[in-house]
């Protein structure tokens, strides 16, 4: 991920097929860990649900990602700061 001129590498060494019975549970857990990592550095993030929905929403087309993220960035900027996923 690239944020404010800095590159952050996230280790994604494990994966499962989309049809794995726990694939969405694993994705939700990954969303939680990513959010917690960035929040510890003071970065405003989407909620876990918002990030999960963004990752799984089949109606968001490639050409719409920029506009979608711009809207979400505005929502996040106007939201009180959350310290951890437990605040959601």
């Amino acid at each position: 991920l690239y944020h404010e001129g800095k590159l952050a590498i996230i280790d994604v060494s494990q994966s499962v097929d989309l049809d794995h019975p726990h694939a969405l549970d694993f994705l939700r857990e990954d969303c939680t860990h990513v959010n917690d990592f960035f929040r510890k550095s003071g970065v405003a993030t989407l909620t876990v649900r918002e990030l999960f929905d963004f990752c799984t929403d089949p109606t968001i087309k490639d050409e719409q990602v920029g506009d979608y993220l711009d809207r979400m960035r505005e929502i996040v900027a106007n939201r009180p700061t959350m310290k951890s996923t437990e605040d959601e």
Side-chain angles (χ1 to χ4, degrees):
L1 300 172
Y2 187 76
H3 179 69
E4 294 183 357
K6 296 180 183 178
L7 184 65
I9 305 298
I10 298 175
D11 179 12
V12 290
S13 61
Q14 298 180 16
S15 65
V16 296
D17 288 329
L18 293 175
D19 60 353
H20 186 283
H22 298 289
L24 295 178
D25 295 327
F26 296 151
L27 176 59
R28 189 177 318 278
E29 186 174 328
D30 288 343
C31 290
T32 298
H33 293 303
V34 168
N35 275 3
D36 285 345
F37 174 84
F38 284 100
R39 286 181 183 162
K40 287 177 185 175
S41 297
V43 177
T45 66
L46 301 174
T47 65
V48 171
R49 178 61 185 254
E50 290 166 341
L51 179 56
F52 180 86
D53 288 348
F54 171 69
C55 293
T56 60
D57 188 342
T59 66
I60 302 172
K61 306 299 180 203
D62 289 345
E63 60 274 5
Q64 299 169 317
V65 168
D67 290 338
Y68 181 91
L69 291 176
D70 286 341
R71 284 192 310 274
M72 295 309 297
R73 189 177 1 249
E74 186 174 326
I75 290 169
V76 169
N78 293 312
R79 174 184 297 151
T81 303
M82 290 182 276
K83 302 295 183 198
S84 71
T85 53
E86 294 172 5
D87 296 334
E88 294 178 7

